[in-house]
Amino acid sequence: FFKGCRLRCRWCHNPESQPGGRVVMRPARAGEEEREVGYRLTVDEAVELASRDLLFYEESGGGVTFSGGEPLLQAGFLAACLERCKRLGMHTCLDTAGAARVERLEEICRWTDLFLYDLKTLNPEKFKRHAGDGLELVAGNLRRIVRQGAEVIIRVPVIPGVNAGREDVREIAAFLREMPSLSRVQLLPYHRHGAGKYARLGRTYEMDDTPVPREEEMEEIRGWFREAGFEVS
């Protein structure tokens, strides 16, 4: 999990990863101590950690996933880690929201087997209100990745009141159809698993009034994506 993200999604379940440097989380309960989150690694150290389970990856077909935060904000470090992991025979995956200016994206694509690409909404007003600035970067970087021929699974966090309506799905589907190789969409229902972290960081969780989507609502949204021609999970 890389530290640092330019977005401030109101539902983020890893808010401790948003600042680029170290942050202190208050105790979750009496008797616990404060916890400092964030530490520095060299490329050698990161690859050594990832390679500890190399034999397991070979048996399971698994590999290493770089997530965050936003890994693309540390593009040089990321590219070096990806290359080293690939040369060791690992399957490499990058979990990204694409909200970064990246000069080395083509190099990163060369060493990445799979992109898990987070797409929240294509509505500029909603994106700015709920996630912040960067929608043009998100859209542009996805186009660049697809042009490199990379394997991509689109991940949509389903947030009631933000992107769970039929028109929201239409906007996302219309954008994805511009890139015919994008056929797989994974829907991630909103949850509150990270809500307690906000108080520990001295922040207010703004999503308390947002309901968790019911399974029948999720299935309806899956149906809309299937109608648009996508394979959905």
Side-chain angles (χ1 to χ4, degrees), residues 7 9 74 215:
L7 300 181
C9 302
Q74 301 184 54
E215 177 53 31

Side-chain angles (χ1 to χ4, degrees), residues 146 175-184 230:
V146 169
F175 171 68
L176 296 179
R177 279 199 299 267
E178 296 175 13
M179 295 160 278
S181 64
L182 296 178
S183 61
R184 289 184 290 171
F230 294 94

Side-chain angles (χ1 to χ4, degrees), residues 17-38:
S17 71
Q18 291 174 352
R22 298 179 182 180
V23 296
V24 174
M25 298 187 74
R26 300 168 180 170
R29 55 186 63 86
E32 291 186 354
E33 297 182 352
E34 291 182 342
R35 183 165 69 93
E36 191 175 73
V37 178

Side-chain angles (χ1 to χ4, degrees), residues 95-205:
D95 185 357
T96 177
R101 299 188 186 280
V102 193
E103 294 181 357
R104 304 177 67 170
L105 190 56
E106 287 71 21
E107 179 185 355
I108 287 168
C109 287
R110 187 180 312 136
W111 303 110
T112 303
D113 292 307
L114 173 65
F115 285 85
L116 302 177
Y117 205 93
D118 190 64
L119 201 59
K120 308 160 204 317
T121 176
L122 268 296
N123 182 296
E125 181 183 343
K126 286 185 175 182
F127 191 97
K128 186 172 183 63
R129 186 188 331 144
H130 297 290
D133 296 320
L135 179 56
E136 291 184 1
L137 290 172
V138 172
N141 283 331
L142 180 56
R143 292 188 180 101
R144 290 172 65 191
I145 289 168
V146 169
R147 283 198 297 269
Q148 295 298 310
E151 182 180 2
V152 182
I153 297 175
I154 298 298
R155 303 178 105 188
V156 180
V158 177
I159 317 295
V162 177
N163 64 356
R166 184 151 202 166
E167 185 57 35
D168 300 299
V169 172
R170 284 197 185 108
E171 288 179 340
I172 293 172
F175 171 68
L176 296 179
R177 279 199 299 267
E178 296 175 13
M179 295 160 278
S181 64
L182 296 178
S183 61
R184 289 184 290 171
V185 174
Q186 184 177 32
L187 302 183
L188 308 175
Y190 164 72
H191 60 74
R192 297 193 181 94
H193 299 336
K197 295 180 180 180
Y198 286 79
R200 297 181 63 191
L201 292 167
R203 294 172 55 183
T204 300
Y205 186 64

